[in-house]
Amino acid sequence: MNNLLRKEYKFFVAGHNGMVGKAVVKELKKKGYCDKKYGGRIFKASRKELDLTCFKDVSKWFKKNKPDIVIIAAAKVGGIYANYKYPYNFISENLKIEQNIIEAAWLNGTKRLLFLGSSCIYPKASKCPIREEELLSSYLEKTNESYAIAKIAGIKLCEAIRKQNGFDAISLMPTNLYGPGDNYHSEESHVMASLLKKFILAKRNNLKEVVCWGTGSPLREFLHVDDLAASCIHALARWDPNDANAPKDIYGENLLYLNVGSGEEISIKNLAEKIASFTQYNGNIIWDKNKPDGTFQKNLDLSRIKSIGWEAKIKLNDGLKETIKIINNSLKDELDKDKALKNFF
């Protein structure tokens, strides 16, 4: 497969300050893109500089900068609690971000666009491992329905604008993410960040027990954010859905969105025990069965992403240990313990 990216291309990573955005920027530079000596560039726009929910602002920015490649890593994200409490925000803000960027990119000559979705787009009762064809085959998991609906709309926007206007938009559906730059806010964090925070704080504060949500029985697949970033660049460089050898669905049609995962699956209970071990926490782990578990299992079928030459490289144990080390080093750098915790968490 030919490389569809060039060193002289100008990239725009929407959400460059977020967990995924930072990893994507790092991977782009690692691969030699965005280098000024080739005429390349990477555009970064903070929330203060560019309101992605305002089409007027987004349109004006695209007319001025005209990026060749756009990666949509910007989104309003959160865990079960945040999705339950703020359903309108999750649908409305994400729809605006997706619509504005996709349309502005098309109108201003962007060559390729990559939209990042989520494995939560798949129905609650999907057969595992989940293939791409499961999309819209049944009802969604209620605990993250609002976010999932917005992400499904993003995929369909990319498909529709490609079909109607020939705009080269593709999508990737990553599984649960973790790694440097994660969100540890109590109302917004996902399961991995939530557990890391609980056990690191319990260890530092000598707590006798840690309370976790649900039964601990659900199974989850986790992907290090650096692996996701690598898959983004690989897909942009190597995946042309119109190529004769590109992945097809079970009906023989070109696939325009691919799953991305690690292939490793672990129960939430075993994950909590693993994190406790890696943080050297020796207290009790209590499971609050009054709290929801979410979908029991949702590991992804990765055959299509593998068919274009990509596989995850970072094993869960290695990624967890590195992430815990980064967090502890960040907390250790502050002489004032309370200030360190407040700044990080």
Side-chain angles (χ1 to χ4, degrees):
M1 290 181 284
N2 295 324
N3 191 338
L4 301 173
L5 297 181
R6 298 179 182 177
K7 296 291 177 70
E8 66 267 24
Y9 278 171
K10 297 179 291 183
F11 291 76
F12 174 47
V13 180
H16 77 279
N17 276 326
M19 177 190 184
V20 175
K22 286 180 180 178
V24 168
V25 169
K26 182 174 71 172
E27 184 69 16
L28 281 170
K29 293 179 178 178
K30 177 183 174 183
K31 295 294 185 183
Y33 297 106
C34 315
D35 193 325
K36 290 183 179 180
K37 69 181 179 182
Y38 298 111
R41 183 175 177 183
I42 185 163
F43 292 111
K44 301 176 182 179
S46 67
R47 290 183 181 181
K48 290 183 178 180
E49 296 169 318
L50 177 60
D51 179 3
L52 295 175
T53 65
C54 175
F55 182 70
K56 182 178 179 181
D57 290 354
V58 174
S59 180
K60 182 179 179 181
W61 187 93
F62 268 83
K63 284 180 182 178
K64 176 182 177 181
N65 295 293
K66 296 189 179 298
D68 298 298
I69 307 295
V70 172
I71 301 169
I72 305 180
K76 179 174 179 59
V77 298
I80 291 175
Y81 178 81
N83 273 268
Y84 171 77
K85 191 172 182 180
Y86 308 108
Y88 175 76
N89 292 21
F90 275 89
I91 292 179
S92 177
E93 290 183 34
N94 283 308
L95 283 177
K96 289 174 184 175
I97 291 169
E98 299 159 6
Q99 170 74 29
N100 292 346
I101 297 175
I102 292 168
E103 185 168 341
W106 166 59
L107 291 173
N108 289 280
T110 292
K111 293 177 173 63
R112 299 208 86 192
L113 179 144
L114 173 62
F115 172 72
L116 289 174
S118 166
S119 62
C120 74
I121 64 166
Y122 294 115
K124 180 182 178 71
S126 293
K127 181 180 178 181
C128 292
I130 304 171
R131 303 190 78 183
E132 286 84 352
E133 289 86 351
E134 289 285 340
L135 181 62
L136 296 176
S137 63
S138 184
Y139 60 90
L140 297 165
E141 162 60 45
K142 284 293 183 182
T143 56
N144 57 19
E145 183 181 69
S146 298
Y147 181 72
I149 288 172
K151 285 298 183 181
I152 291 169
I155 298 167
K156 292 303 178 181
L157 276 170
C158 288
E159 288 184 350
I161 200 168
R162 186 184 190 95
K163 180 180 180 180
Q164 183 173 326
N165 302 110
F167 182 52
D168 190 3
I170 56 176
S171 303
L172 292 179
M173 300 301 112
T175 189
N176 303 282
L177 299 174
Y178 74 99
D182 209 342
N183 185 348
Y184 296 94
H185 188 281
S186 298
E187 293 185 2
E188 298 174 359
S189 62
H190 289 98
V191 61
M192 179 70 85
S194 176
L195 290 175
L196 285 169
K197 179 179 179 179
K198 284 176 184 288
F199 285 101
I200 287 172
L201 290 180
K203 173 64 177 178
R204 287 172 66 87
N205 296 318
N206 298 312
L207 301 182
K208 293 181 179 181
E209 64 181 37
V210 169
V211 178
C212 300
W213 277 31
T215 64
S217 58
L219 300 170
R220 289 291 180 269
E221 177 184 11
F222 292 95
L223 179 71
H224 194 283
V225 69
D226 287 349
D227 270 337
L228 173 60
S231 76
C232 291
I233 310 311
H234 185 90
L236 282 166
R238 302 295 180 183
W239 175 33
D240 176 4
N242 295 328
D243 189 276
N245 296 318
K248 304 288 192 296
D249 64 20
I250 58 175
Y251 308 104
E253 300 292 330
N254 293 339
L255 267 174
L256 301 178
Y257 59 97
L258 302 179
N259 293 335
V260 185
S262 65
E264 287 188 88
E265 194 176 35
I266 186 172
S267 73
I268 300 301
K269 182 177 184 293
N270 288 342
L271 176 63
E273 291 170 350
K274 192 181 290 288
I275 293 174
S277 174
F278 291 163
T279 55
Q280 299 180 348
Y281 175 74
N282 298 313
N284 296 320
I285 302 175
I286 308 298
W287 294 94
D288 182 356
K289 297 179 182 179
N290 292 318
K291 295 295 192 298
D293 272 331
T295 305
F296 177 74
Q297 184 182 25
K298 57 176 185 177
N299 61 309
L300 300 178
D301 183 308
L302 305 175
S303 58
R304 271 61 176 266
I305 191 80
K306 288 181 179 180
S307 75
I308 65 168
W310 184 87
E311 285 189 64
K313 295 181 179 179
I314 302 171
K315 297 297 182 182
L316 181 60
N317 281 357
D318 297 331
L320 269 179
K321 289 176 182 176
E322 178 210 25
T323 303
I324 291 167
K325 183 178 179 180
I326 290 171
I327 295 172
N328 282 329
N329 284 343
S330 297
L331 297 178
K332 196 183 298 179
D333 288 342
E334 287 279 5
L335 294 176
D336 185 331
K337 180 180 175 182
D338 291 335
K339 183 178 180 182
L341 294 174
K342 182 179 179 180
N343 288 346
F344 195 88
F345 292 130

